[in-house]
Amino acid sequence: MKLVVAVDENWGIGKDGDQMVYLSQDLKHFKSLTMGHPLVLGRKTMATFPGGKPLKGRRNLILSRNPDFAPEGAEVYHDLESLLAAAPEDACVIGGASVYHALADKCDTAYVTKLHASWPADCWFPNLDQKPEWELVEESEVMEEKGVSFHFATYKHK
């Protein structure tokens, strides 16, 4: 599986149930990485999608402990074991924080949008630069949008 995430300078990923900033170049990059691949995510992450509905063109596998949660167009799993049994190798783990933390060790690649700014955050992604089991293998040029500079980084799990 692959991890896809946007982080600020402190590896913060969100506050109050939403990401720090939405950049069209990052959204296009996200779509190019995930289109046609199954997505693994939590219920709160799906709530941030347009209309709170599953993303089109991708199988949406939702991890939720809520037994009443049954969104149309998505598959809901109530525990990690059943989700892992259903998730194919090409699945993209897209958040939120608890899903990233639960599945990071099961992933072989992390696609990280590194935002060159920081915001108040209440959830974080593990700092892969400080994890010896992860190796930075590729970085894009620096881009800028809405006054925020950023770049794309790819890490491989050793």
Side-chain angles (χ1 to χ4, degrees), residues 3-14 18-23 26-27 29-30 93-95 100 111-115 119 123-125 150-152:
L3 296 161
V4 183
V5 65
V7 302
D8 76 0
E9 292 174 330
N10 300 311
W11 292 79
I13 60 172
D18 209 354
Q19 1 184 134
M20 307 294 192
V21 64
Y22 288 89
L23 303 173
D26 181 44
L27 293 171
H29 183 64
F30 173 86
V93 178
I94 62 167
Y100 285 135
Y111 298 104
V112 181
T113 300
K114 289 189 160 186
L115 305 165
W119 290 268
C123 54
W124 292 265
F125 191 83
F150 63 96
H151 73 280
F152 304 128

PDB file of all heavy atoms in Angstrom, residues 3-14 18-23 26-27 29-30 93-95 100 111-115 119 123-125 150-152:
ATOM      1  N   LEU A   3       1.091   5.537   1.067  1.00  0.00           N
ATOM      2  CA  LEU A   3       0.579   6.631   1.877  1.00  0.00           C
ATOM      3  C   LEU A   3       0.562   7.883   1.015  1.00  0.00           C
ATOM      4  O   LEU A   3       1.510   8.131   0.264  1.00  0.00           O
ATOM      5  CB  LEU A   3       1.493   6.880   3.076  1.00  0.00           C
ATOM      6  CG  LEU A   3       1.613   5.768   4.103  1.00  0.00           C
ATOM      7  CD1 LEU A   3       2.861   5.948   4.947  1.00  0.00           C
ATOM      8  CD2 LEU A   3       0.375   5.748   4.982  1.00  0.00           C
ATOM      9  N   VAL A   4      -0.492   8.671   1.094  1.00  0.00           N
ATOM     10  CA  VAL A   4      -0.568   9.954   0.400  1.00  0.00           C
ATOM     11  C   VAL A   4      -0.993  10.987   1.439  1.00  0.00           C
ATOM     12  O   VAL A   4      -2.049  10.842   2.060  1.00  0.00           O
ATOM     13  CB  VAL A   4      -1.578   9.918  -0.768  1.00  0.00           C
ATOM     14  CG1 VAL A   4      -1.580  11.242  -1.514  1.00  0.00           C
ATOM     15  CG2 VAL A   4      -1.268   8.764  -1.724  1.00  0.00           C
ATOM     16  N   VAL A   5      -0.154  12.031   1.625  1.00  0.00           N
ATOM     17  CA  VAL A   5      -0.408  12.987   2.705  1.00  0.00           C
ATOM     18  C   VAL A   5       0.191  14.348   2.367  1.00  0.00           C
ATOM     19  O   VAL A   5       1.176  14.431   1.627  1.00  0.00           O
ATOM     20  CB  VAL A   5       0.176  12.445   4.040  1.00  0.00           C
ATOM     21  CG1 VAL A   5       1.689  12.333   3.985  1.00  0.00           C
ATOM     22  CG2 VAL A   5      -0.274  13.262   5.235  1.00  0.00           C
ATOM     23  N   ALA A   6      -0.397  15.395   2.911  1.00  0.00           N
ATOM     24  CA  ALA A   6       0.172  16.743   2.863  1.00  0.00           C
ATOM     25  C   ALA A   6       0.498  17.138   4.296  1.00  0.00           C
ATOM     26  O   ALA A   6      -0.352  16.998   5.190  1.00  0.00           O
ATOM     27  CB  ALA A   6      -0.810  17.729   2.246  1.00  0.00           C
ATOM     28  N   VAL A   7       1.733  17.608   4.520  1.00  0.00           N
ATOM     29  CA  VAL A   7       2.187  17.964   5.865  1.00  0.00           C
ATOM     30  C   VAL A   7       2.773  19.368   5.870  1.00  0.00           C
ATOM     31  O   VAL A   7       3.332  19.824   4.871  1.00  0.00           O
ATOM     32  CB  VAL A   7       3.242  16.968   6.405  1.00  0.00           C
ATOM     33  CG1 VAL A   7       2.699  15.540   6.425  1.00  0.00           C
ATOM     34  CG2 VAL A   7       4.543  17.029   5.612  1.00  0.00           C
ATOM     35  N   ASP A   8       2.657  20.037   7.022  1.00  0.00           N
ATOM     36  CA  ASP A   8       3.326  21.325   7.145  1.00  0.00           C
ATOM     37  C   ASP A   8       4.740  21.098   7.680  1.00  0.00           C
ATOM     38  O   ASP A   8       5.193  19.956   7.804  1.00  0.00           O
ATOM     39  CB  ASP A   8       2.488  22.299   7.985  1.00  0.00           C
ATOM     40  CG  ASP A   8       2.511  22.046   9.488  1.00  0.00           C
ATOM     41  OD1 ASP A   8       3.190  21.100   9.965  1.00  0.00           O
ATOM     42  OD2 ASP A   8       1.844  22.815  10.208  1.00  0.00           O
ATOM     43  N   GLU A   9       5.436  22.169   8.002  1.00  0.00           N
ATOM     44  CA  GLU A   9       6.833  22.047   8.448  1.00  0.00           C
ATOM     45  C   GLU A   9       6.993  21.248   9.731  1.00  0.00           C
ATOM     46  O   GLU A   9       8.081  20.728   9.999  1.00  0.00           O
ATOM     47  CB  GLU A   9       7.439  23.444   8.647  1.00  0.00           C
ATOM     48  CG  GLU A   9       7.621  24.193   7.345  1.00  0.00           C
ATOM     49  CD  GLU A   9       8.094  25.624   7.531  1.00  0.00           C
ATOM     50  OE1 GLU A   9       7.763  26.246   8.567  1.00  0.00           O
ATOM     51  OE2 GLU A   9       8.788  26.109   6.631  1.00  0.00           O
ATOM     52  N   ASN A  10       5.941  21.139  10.515  1.00  0.00           N
ATOM     53  CA  ASN A  10       5.982  20.362  11.756  1.00  0.00           C
ATOM     54  C   ASN A  10       5.326  18.997  11.592  1.00  0.00           C
ATOM     55  O   ASN A  10       5.018  18.345  12.575  1.00  0.00           O
ATOM     56  CB  ASN A  10       5.284  21.147  12.876  1.00  0.00           C
ATOM     57  CG  ASN A  10       5.945  22.479  13.125  1.00  0.00           C
ATOM     58  OD1 ASN A  10       7.163  22.557  13.261  1.00  0.00           O
ATOM     59  ND2 ASN A  10       5.159  23.542  13.147  1.00  0.00           N
ATOM     60  N   TRP A  11       5.064  18.609  10.350  1.00  0.00           N
ATOM     61  CA  TRP A  11       4.390  17.359   9.998  1.00  0.00           C
ATOM     62  C   TRP A  11       2.947  17.353  10.501  1.00  0.00           C
ATOM     63  O   TRP A  11       2.352  16.312  10.698  1.00  0.00           O
ATOM     64  CB  TRP A  11       5.191  16.129  10.459  1.00  0.00           C
ATOM     65  CG  TRP A  11       6.480  15.986   9.690  1.00  0.00           C
ATOM     66  CD1 TRP A  11       7.629  16.675   9.888  1.00  0.00           C
ATOM     67  CD2 TRP A  11       6.721  15.151   8.561  1.00  0.00           C
ATOM     68  NE1 TRP A  11       8.583  16.309   8.958  1.00  0.00           N
ATOM     69  CE2 TRP A  11       8.045  15.360   8.130  1.00  0.00           C
ATOM     70  CE3 TRP A  11       5.941  14.215   7.863  1.00  0.00           C
ATOM     71  CZ2 TRP A  11       8.614  14.712   7.051  1.00  0.00           C
ATOM     72  CZ3 TRP A  11       6.516  13.553   6.791  1.00  0.00           C
ATOM     73  CH2 TRP A  11       7.842  13.801   6.393  1.00  0.00           C
ATOM     74  N   GLY A  12       2.393  18.554  10.705  1.00  0.00           N
ATOM     75  CA  GLY A  12       0.979  18.673  11.027  1.00  0.00           C
ATOM     76  C   GLY A  12       0.154  18.379   9.777  1.00  0.00           C
ATOM     77  O   GLY A  12       0.553  18.730   8.668  1.00  0.00           O
ATOM     78  N   ILE A  13      -0.979  17.716   9.962  1.00  0.00           N
ATOM     79  CA  ILE A  13      -1.826  17.375   8.805  1.00  0.00           C
ATOM     80  C   ILE A  13      -3.223  17.970   8.877  1.00  0.00           C
ATOM     81  O   ILE A  13      -3.945  17.957   7.876  1.00  0.00           O
ATOM     82  CB  ILE A  13      -1.925  15.852   8.580  1.00  0.00           C
ATOM     83  CG1 ILE A  13      -2.526  15.148   9.791  1.00  0.00           C
ATOM     84  CG2 ILE A  13      -0.565  15.279   8.209  1.00  0.00           C
ATOM     85  CD1 ILE A  13      -2.835  13.673   9.556  1.00  0.00           C
ATOM     86  N   GLY A  14      -3.607  18.493  10.045  1.00  0.00           N
ATOM     87  CA  GLY A  14      -4.950  19.047  10.101  1.00  0.00           C
ATOM     88  C   GLY A  14      -5.296  19.659  11.427  1.00  0.00           C
ATOM     89  O   GLY A  14      -4.564  19.549  12.409  1.00  0.00           O
ATOM     90  N   ASP A  18     -10.080  19.078   9.427  1.00  0.00           N
ATOM     91  CA  ASP A  18      -9.825  19.451   8.032  1.00  0.00           C
ATOM     92  C   ASP A  18      -8.327  19.649   7.825  1.00  0.00           C
ATOM     93  O   ASP A  18      -7.575  19.812   8.782  1.00  0.00           O
ATOM     94  CB  ASP A  18     -10.583  20.730   7.669  1.00  0.00           C
ATOM     95  CG  ASP A  18     -10.955  20.811   6.191  1.00  0.00           C
ATOM     96  OD1 ASP A  18     -10.537  19.928   5.403  1.00  0.00           O
ATOM     97  OD2 ASP A  18     -11.665  21.760   5.825  1.00  0.00           O
ATOM     98  N   GLN A  19      -7.904  19.658   6.538  1.00  0.00           N
ATOM     99  CA  GLN A  19      -6.495  19.887   6.258  1.00  0.00           C
ATOM    100  C   GLN A  19      -6.145  21.348   6.457  1.00  0.00           C
ATOM    101  O   GLN A  19      -7.018  22.196   6.596  1.00  0.00           O
ATOM    102  CB  GLN A  19      -6.048  19.486   4.857  1.00  0.00           C
ATOM    103  CG  GLN A  19      -6.949  18.948   3.905  1.00  0.00           C
ATOM    104  CD  GLN A  19      -6.330  18.529   2.602  1.00  0.00           C
ATOM    105  OE1 GLN A  19      -6.665  17.461   2.175  1.00  0.00           O
ATOM    106  NE2 GLN A  19      -5.516  19.303   1.939  1.00  0.00           N
ATOM    107  N   MET A  20      -4.849  21.610   6.438  1.00  0.00           N
ATOM    108  CA  MET A  20      -4.350  22.968   6.682  1.00  0.00           C
ATOM    109  C   MET A  20      -4.742  23.929   5.572  1.00  0.00           C
ATOM    110  O   MET A  20      -5.150  25.049   5.826  1.00  0.00           O
ATOM    111  CB  MET A  20      -2.818  22.952   6.783  1.00  0.00           C
ATOM    112  CG  MET A  20      -2.277  21.975   7.771  1.00  0.00           C
ATOM    113  SD  MET A  20      -2.745  22.451   9.412  1.00  0.00           S
ATOM    114  CE  MET A  20      -1.710  21.387  10.345  1.00  0.00           C
ATOM    115  N   VAL A  21      -4.558  23.481   4.332  1.00  0.00           N
ATOM    116  CA  VAL A  21      -4.781  24.342   3.179  1.00  0.00           C
ATOM    117  C   VAL A  21      -5.100  23.460   1.976  1.00  0.00           C
ATOM    118  O   VAL A  21      -4.650  22.315   1.914  1.00  0.00           O
ATOM    119  CB  VAL A  21      -3.528  25.233   2.918  1.00  0.00           C
ATOM    120  CG1 VAL A  21      -2.312  24.414   2.536  1.00  0.00           C
ATOM    121  CG2 VAL A  21      -3.795  26.303   1.881  1.00  0.00           C
ATOM    122  N   TYR A  22      -5.890  23.972   1.064  1.00  0.00           N
ATOM    123  CA  TYR A  22      -6.194  23.260  -0.176  1.00  0.00           C
ATOM    124  C   TYR A  22      -5.514  23.989  -1.323  1.00  0.00           C
ATOM    125  O   TYR A  22      -5.783  25.173  -1.553  1.00  0.00           O
ATOM    126  CB  TYR A  22      -7.710  23.188  -0.416  1.00  0.00           C
ATOM    127  CG  TYR A  22      -8.411  22.237   0.516  1.00  0.00           C
ATOM    128  CD1 TYR A  22      -8.891  22.654   1.748  1.00  0.00           C
ATOM    129  CD2 TYR A  22      -8.570  20.893   0.169  1.00  0.00           C
ATOM    130  CE1 TYR A  22      -9.521  21.768   2.606  1.00  0.00           C
ATOM    131  CE2 TYR A  22      -9.203  20.004   1.030  1.00  0.00           C
ATOM    132  CZ  TYR A  22      -9.674  20.450   2.239  1.00  0.00           C
ATOM    133  OH  TYR A  22     -10.299  19.562   3.091  1.00  0.00           O
ATOM    134  N   LEU A  23      -4.630  23.306  -2.016  1.00  0.00           N
ATOM    135  CA  LEU A  23      -3.910  23.867  -3.157  1.00  0.00           C
ATOM    136  C   LEU A  23      -4.277  23.063  -4.397  1.00  0.00           C
ATOM    137  O   LEU A  23      -4.200  21.827  -4.374  1.00  0.00           O
ATOM    138  CB  LEU A  23      -2.396  23.798  -2.911  1.00  0.00           C
ATOM    139  CG  LEU A  23      -1.896  24.487  -1.638  1.00  0.00           C
ATOM    140  CD1 LEU A  23      -0.421  24.208  -1.433  1.00  0.00           C
ATOM    141  CD2 LEU A  23      -2.171  25.988  -1.703  1.00  0.00           C
ATOM    142  N   ASP A  26      -1.738  20.528  -5.543  1.00  0.00           N
ATOM    143  CA  ASP A  26      -1.678  19.356  -4.669  1.00  0.00           C
ATOM    144  C   ASP A  26      -2.877  18.447  -4.927  1.00  0.00           C
ATOM    145  O   ASP A  26      -2.739  17.222  -4.958  1.00  0.00           O
ATOM    146  CB  ASP A  26      -1.619  19.785  -3.202  1.00  0.00           C
ATOM    147  CG  ASP A  26      -1.521  18.584  -2.263  1.00  0.00           C
ATOM    148  OD1 ASP A  26      -0.744  17.650  -2.556  1.00  0.00           O
ATOM    149  OD2 ASP A  26      -2.222  18.580  -1.236  1.00  0.00           O
ATOM    150  N   LEU A  27      -4.054  19.030  -5.119  1.00  0.00           N
ATOM    151  CA  LEU A  27      -5.244  18.223  -5.404  1.00  0.00           C
ATOM    152  C   LEU A  27      -5.092  17.464  -6.725  1.00  0.00           C
ATOM    153  O   LEU A  27      -5.480  16.296  -6.828  1.00  0.00           O
ATOM    154  CB  LEU A  27      -6.493  19.099  -5.418  1.00  0.00           C
ATOM    155  CG  LEU A  27      -6.872  19.703  -4.056  1.00  0.00           C
ATOM    156  CD1 LEU A  27      -7.992  20.719  -4.213  1.00  0.00           C
ATOM    157  CD2 LEU A  27      -7.249  18.630  -3.055  1.00  0.00           C
ATOM    158  N   HIS A  29      -2.209  16.534  -8.022  1.00  0.00           N
ATOM    159  CA  HIS A  29      -1.199  15.510  -7.724  1.00  0.00           C
ATOM    160  C   HIS A  29      -1.856  14.332  -6.996  1.00  0.00           C
ATOM    161  O   HIS A  29      -1.622  13.166  -7.346  1.00  0.00           O
ATOM    162  CB  HIS A  29      -0.090  16.132  -6.876  1.00  0.00           C
ATOM    163  CG  HIS A  29       1.041  15.224  -6.543  1.00  0.00           C
ATOM    164  ND1 HIS A  29       1.885  14.689  -7.483  1.00  0.00           N
ATOM    165  CD2 HIS A  29       1.484  14.758  -5.347  1.00  0.00           C
ATOM    166  CE1 HIS A  29       2.792  13.934  -6.891  1.00  0.00           C
ATOM    167  NE2 HIS A  29       2.565  13.947  -5.592  1.00  0.00           N
ATOM    168  N   PHE A  30      -2.694  14.637  -6.010  1.00  0.00           N
ATOM    169  CA  PHE A  30      -3.435  13.606  -5.274  1.00  0.00           C
ATOM    170  C   PHE A  30      -4.276  12.768  -6.234  1.00  0.00           C
ATOM    171  O   PHE A  30      -4.254  11.540  -6.182  1.00  0.00           O
ATOM    172  CB  PHE A  30      -4.331  14.270  -4.213  1.00  0.00           C
ATOM    173  CG  PHE A  30      -5.252  13.323  -3.511  1.00  0.00           C
ATOM    174  CD1 PHE A  30      -4.822  12.613  -2.407  1.00  0.00           C
ATOM    175  CD2 PHE A  30      -6.546  13.126  -3.965  1.00  0.00           C
ATOM    176  CE1 PHE A  30      -5.674  11.725  -1.755  1.00  0.00           C
ATOM    177  CE2 PHE A  30      -7.411  12.247  -3.321  1.00  0.00           C
ATOM    178  CZ  PHE A  30      -6.969  11.545  -2.215  1.00  0.00           C
ATOM    179  N   VAL A  93      -3.499   4.858   1.221  1.00  0.00           N
ATOM    180  CA  VAL A  93      -3.964   5.269   2.544  1.00  0.00           C
ATOM    181  C   VAL A  93      -3.930   6.796   2.562  1.00  0.00           C
ATOM    182  O   VAL A  93      -2.879   7.401   2.362  1.00  0.00           O
ATOM    183  CB  VAL A  93      -3.062   4.682   3.649  1.00  0.00           C
ATOM    184  CG1 VAL A  93      -3.520   5.146   5.022  1.00  0.00           C
ATOM    185  CG2 VAL A  93      -3.037   3.160   3.556  1.00  0.00           C
ATOM    186  N   ILE A  94      -5.108   7.420   2.800  1.00  0.00           N
ATOM    187  CA  ILE A  94      -5.196   8.874   2.652  1.00  0.00           C
ATOM    188  C   ILE A  94      -5.657   9.593   3.927  1.00  0.00           C
ATOM    189  O   ILE A  94      -6.005  10.767   3.865  1.00  0.00           O
ATOM    190  CB  ILE A  94      -6.083   9.250   1.454  1.00  0.00           C
ATOM    191  CG1 ILE A  94      -7.517   8.764   1.632  1.00  0.00           C
ATOM    192  CG2 ILE A  94      -5.487   8.711   0.152  1.00  0.00           C
ATOM    193  CD1 ILE A  94      -8.501   9.379   0.648  1.00  0.00           C
ATOM    194  N   GLY A  95      -5.660   8.914   5.066  1.00  0.00           N
ATOM    195  CA  GLY A  95      -5.945   9.597   6.320  1.00  0.00           C
ATOM    196  C   GLY A  95      -7.239   9.199   6.969  1.00  0.00           C
ATOM    197  O   GLY A  95      -7.956   8.374   6.451  1.00  0.00           O
ATOM    198  N   TYR A 100      -3.479   6.696   9.306  1.00  0.00           N
ATOM    199  CA  TYR A 100      -2.057   6.747   8.931  1.00  0.00           C
ATOM    200  C   TYR A 100      -1.204   5.999   9.945  1.00  0.00           C
ATOM    201  O   TYR A 100      -0.362   5.177   9.589  1.00  0.00           O
ATOM    202  CB  TYR A 100      -1.559   8.193   8.864  1.00  0.00           C
ATOM    203  CG  TYR A 100      -1.987   8.993   7.661  1.00  0.00           C
ATOM    204  CD1 TYR A 100      -2.457  10.288   7.813  1.00  0.00           C
ATOM    205  CD2 TYR A 100      -1.874   8.484   6.370  1.00  0.00           C
ATOM    206  CE1 TYR A 100      -2.811  11.058   6.718  1.00  0.00           C
ATOM    207  CE2 TYR A 100      -2.236   9.255   5.270  1.00  0.00           C
ATOM    208  CZ  TYR A 100      -2.702  10.538   5.452  1.00  0.00           C
ATOM    209  OH  TYR A 100      -3.048  11.296   4.366  1.00  0.00           O
ATOM    210  N   TYR A 111       3.900   9.220  -0.440  1.00  0.00           N
ATOM    211  CA  TYR A 111       3.917  10.405  -1.292  1.00  0.00           C
ATOM    212  C   TYR A 111       3.511  11.579  -0.408  1.00  0.00           C
ATOM    213  O   TYR A 111       2.361  11.669   0.020  1.00  0.00           O
ATOM    214  CB  TYR A 111       2.957  10.247  -2.464  1.00  0.00           C
ATOM    215  CG  TYR A 111       3.332   9.104  -3.375  1.00  0.00           C
ATOM    216  CD1 TYR A 111       2.638   7.905  -3.338  1.00  0.00           C
ATOM    217  CD2 TYR A 111       4.398   9.224  -4.266  1.00  0.00           C
ATOM    218  CE1 TYR A 111       2.983   6.851  -4.166  1.00  0.00           C
ATOM    219  CE2 TYR A 111       4.753   8.172  -5.095  1.00  0.00           C
ATOM    220  CZ  TYR A 111       4.041   6.984  -5.044  1.00  0.00           C
ATOM    221  OH  TYR A 111       4.385   5.941  -5.857  1.00  0.00           O
ATOM    222  N   VAL A 112       4.468  12.456  -0.124  1.00  0.00           N
ATOM    223  CA  VAL A 112       4.260  13.521   0.852  1.00  0.00           C
ATOM    224  C   VAL A 112       4.346  14.879   0.163  1.00  0.00           C
ATOM    225  O   VAL A 112       5.349  15.191  -0.479  1.00  0.00           O
ATOM    226  CB  VAL A 112       5.318  13.443   1.976  1.00  0.00           C
ATOM    227  CG1 VAL A 112       5.093  14.547   3.006  1.00  0.00           C
ATOM    228  CG2 VAL A 112       5.316  12.067   2.635  1.00  0.00           C
ATOM    229  N   THR A 113       3.293  15.673   0.288  1.00  0.00           N
ATOM    230  CA  THR A 113       3.354  17.070  -0.120  1.00  0.00           C
ATOM    231  C   THR A 113       3.863  17.835   1.086  1.00  0.00           C
ATOM    232  O   THR A 113       3.221  17.840   2.141  1.00  0.00           O
ATOM    233  CB  THR A 113       1.972  17.599  -0.541  1.00  0.00           C
ATOM    234  OG1 THR A 113       1.500  16.816  -1.640  1.00  0.00           O
ATOM    235  CG2 THR A 113       2.042  19.068  -0.943  1.00  0.00           C
ATOM    236  N   LYS A 114       5.045  18.439   0.939  1.00  0.00           N
ATOM    237  CA  LYS A 114       5.649  19.178   2.043  1.00  0.00           C
ATOM    238  C   LYS A 114       5.350  20.664   1.859  1.00  0.00           C
ATOM    239  O   LYS A 114       5.850  21.291   0.930  1.00  0.00           O
ATOM    240  CB  LYS A 114       7.149  18.925   2.102  1.00  0.00           C
ATOM    241  CG  LYS A 114       7.504  17.532   2.571  1.00  0.00           C
ATOM    242  CD  LYS A 114       8.999  17.430   2.805  1.00  0.00           C
ATOM    243  CE  LYS A 114       9.327  16.265   3.701  1.00  0.00           C
ATOM    244  NZ  LYS A 114      10.762  16.258   4.038  1.00  0.00           N
ATOM    245  N   LEU A 115       4.525  21.189   2.766  1.00  0.00           N
ATOM    246  CA  LEU A 115       4.157  22.599   2.747  1.00  0.00           C
ATOM    247  C   LEU A 115       5.229  23.374   3.508  1.00  0.00           C
ATOM    248  O   LEU A 115       5.572  23.009   4.634  1.00  0.00           O
ATOM    249  CB  LEU A 115       2.794  22.778   3.400  1.00  0.00           C
ATOM    250  CG  LEU A 115       1.666  21.924   2.808  1.00  0.00           C
ATOM    251  CD1 LEU A 115       0.469  21.892   3.738  1.00  0.00           C
ATOM    252  CD2 LEU A 115       1.289  22.422   1.427  1.00  0.00           C
ATOM    253  N   TRP A 119       1.013  25.747  10.485  1.00  0.00           N
ATOM    254  CA  TRP A 119      -0.290  26.196  10.959  1.00  0.00           C
ATOM    255  C   TRP A 119      -0.548  25.529  12.307  1.00  0.00           C
ATOM    256  O   TRP A 119       0.031  24.483  12.603  1.00  0.00           O
ATOM    257  CB  TRP A 119      -1.391  25.761   9.991  1.00  0.00           C
ATOM    258  CG  TRP A 119      -1.402  26.463   8.681  1.00  0.00           C
ATOM    259  CD1 TRP A 119      -2.108  27.590   8.362  1.00  0.00           C
ATOM    260  CD2 TRP A 119      -0.702  26.100   7.484  1.00  0.00           C
ATOM    261  NE1 TRP A 119      -1.881  27.941   7.044  1.00  0.00           N
ATOM    262  CE2 TRP A 119      -1.026  27.046   6.491  1.00  0.00           C
ATOM    263  CE3 TRP A 119       0.182  25.075   7.155  1.00  0.00           C
ATOM    264  CZ2 TRP A 119      -0.511  26.994   5.197  1.00  0.00           C
ATOM    265  CZ3 TRP A 119       0.703  25.016   5.871  1.00  0.00           C
ATOM    266  CH2 TRP A 119       0.357  25.969   4.911  1.00  0.00           C
ATOM    267  N   CYS A 123      -3.482  17.327  14.752  1.00  0.00           N
ATOM    268  CA  CYS A 123      -3.077  15.958  14.390  1.00  0.00           C
ATOM    269  C   CYS A 123      -1.856  16.034  13.479  1.00  0.00           C
ATOM    270  O   CYS A 123      -1.682  16.992  12.727  1.00  0.00           O
ATOM    271  CB  CYS A 123      -4.228  15.174  13.765  1.00  0.00           C
ATOM    272  SG  CYS A 123      -5.016  15.958  12.379  1.00  0.00           S
ATOM    273  N   TRP A 124      -1.030  15.009  13.578  1.00  0.00           N
ATOM    274  CA  TRP A 124       0.254  14.999  12.889  1.00  0.00           C
ATOM    275  C   TRP A 124       0.491  13.654  12.219  1.00  0.00           C
ATOM    276  O   TRP A 124      -0.046  12.635  12.624  1.00  0.00           O
ATOM    277  CB  TRP A 124       1.394  15.253  13.885  1.00  0.00           C
ATOM    278  CG  TRP A 124       1.362  16.640  14.433  1.00  0.00           C
ATOM    279  CD1 TRP A 124       2.060  17.716  13.976  1.00  0.00           C
ATOM    280  CD2 TRP A 124       0.584  17.125  15.532  1.00  0.00           C
ATOM    281  NE1 TRP A 124       1.752  18.822  14.719  1.00  0.00           N
ATOM    282  CE2 TRP A 124       0.843  18.486  15.677  1.00  0.00           C
ATOM    283  CE3 TRP A 124      -0.328  16.524  16.405  1.00  0.00           C
ATOM    284  CZ2 TRP A 124       0.256  19.280  16.658  1.00  0.00           C
ATOM    285  CZ3 TRP A 124      -0.926  17.304  17.386  1.00  0.00           C
ATOM    286  CH2 TRP A 124      -0.630  18.657  17.502  1.00  0.00           C
ATOM    287  N   PHE A 125       1.344  13.705  11.212  1.00  0.00           N
ATOM    288  CA  PHE A 125       1.836  12.516  10.522  1.00  0.00           C
ATOM    289  C   PHE A 125       3.215  12.223  11.098  1.00  0.00           C
ATOM    290  O   PHE A 125       3.935  13.159  11.467  1.00  0.00           O
ATOM    291  CB  PHE A 125       1.930  12.823   9.016  1.00  0.00           C
ATOM    292  CG  PHE A 125       2.177  11.628   8.158  1.00  0.00           C
ATOM    293  CD1 PHE A 125       1.133  10.809   7.768  1.00  0.00           C
ATOM    294  CD2 PHE A 125       3.466  11.308   7.731  1.00  0.00           C
ATOM    295  CE1 PHE A 125       1.353   9.698   6.965  1.00  0.00           C
ATOM    296  CE2 PHE A 125       3.693  10.199   6.939  1.00  0.00           C
ATOM    297  CZ  PHE A 125       2.634   9.399   6.556  1.00  0.00           C
ATOM    298  N   PHE A 150       5.717  24.864  -1.643  1.00  0.00           N
ATOM    299  CA  PHE A 150       5.619  23.446  -1.305  1.00  0.00           C
ATOM    300  C   PHE A 150       6.358  22.636  -2.353  1.00  0.00           C
ATOM    301  O   PHE A 150       6.716  23.146  -3.422  1.00  0.00           O
ATOM    302  CB  PHE A 150       4.148  23.005  -1.227  1.00  0.00           C
ATOM    303  CG  PHE A 150       3.401  23.134  -2.533  1.00  0.00           C
ATOM    304  CD1 PHE A 150       3.250  22.053  -3.385  1.00  0.00           C
ATOM    305  CD2 PHE A 150       2.867  24.355  -2.910  1.00  0.00           C
ATOM    306  CE1 PHE A 150       2.579  22.193  -4.586  1.00  0.00           C
ATOM    307  CE2 PHE A 150       2.187  24.508  -4.113  1.00  0.00           C
ATOM    308  CZ  PHE A 150       2.048  23.424  -4.952  1.00  0.00           C
ATOM    309  N   HIS A 151       6.594  21.379  -2.026  1.00  0.00           N
ATOM    310  CA  HIS A 151       7.138  20.444  -3.009  1.00  0.00           C
ATOM    311  C   HIS A 151       6.649  19.037  -2.682  1.00  0.00           C
ATOM    312  O   HIS A 151       6.126  18.786  -1.594  1.00  0.00           O
ATOM    313  CB  HIS A 151       8.676  20.507  -3.068  1.00  0.00           C
ATOM    314  CG  HIS A 151       9.376  19.900  -1.896  1.00  0.00           C
ATOM    315  ND1 HIS A 151       9.546  20.543  -0.680  1.00  0.00           N
ATOM    316  CD2 HIS A 151       9.959  18.683  -1.741  1.00  0.00           C
ATOM    317  CE1 HIS A 151      10.198  19.758   0.146  1.00  0.00           C
ATOM    318  NE2 HIS A 151      10.462  18.610  -0.468  1.00  0.00           N
ATOM    319  N   PHE A 152       6.799  18.150  -3.655  1.00  0.00           N
ATOM    320  CA  PHE A 152       6.395  16.755  -3.492  1.00  0.00           C
ATOM    321  C   PHE A 152       7.631  15.926  -3.168  1.00  0.00           C
ATOM    322  O   PHE A 152       8.681  16.092  -3.782  1.00  0.00           O
ATOM    323  CB  PHE A 152       5.725  16.222  -4.762  1.00  0.00           C
ATOM    324  CG  PHE A 152       4.537  17.035  -5.213  1.00  0.00           C
ATOM    325  CD1 PHE A 152       4.446  17.506  -6.502  1.00  0.00           C
ATOM    326  CD2 PHE A 152       3.503  17.317  -4.334  1.00  0.00           C
ATOM    327  CE1 PHE A 152       3.354  18.250  -6.924  1.00  0.00           C
ATOM    328  CE2 PHE A 152       2.395  18.060  -4.741  1.00  0.00           C
ATOM    329  CZ  PHE A 152       2.333  18.525  -6.045  1.00  0.00           C
TER     330      PHE A 152
END
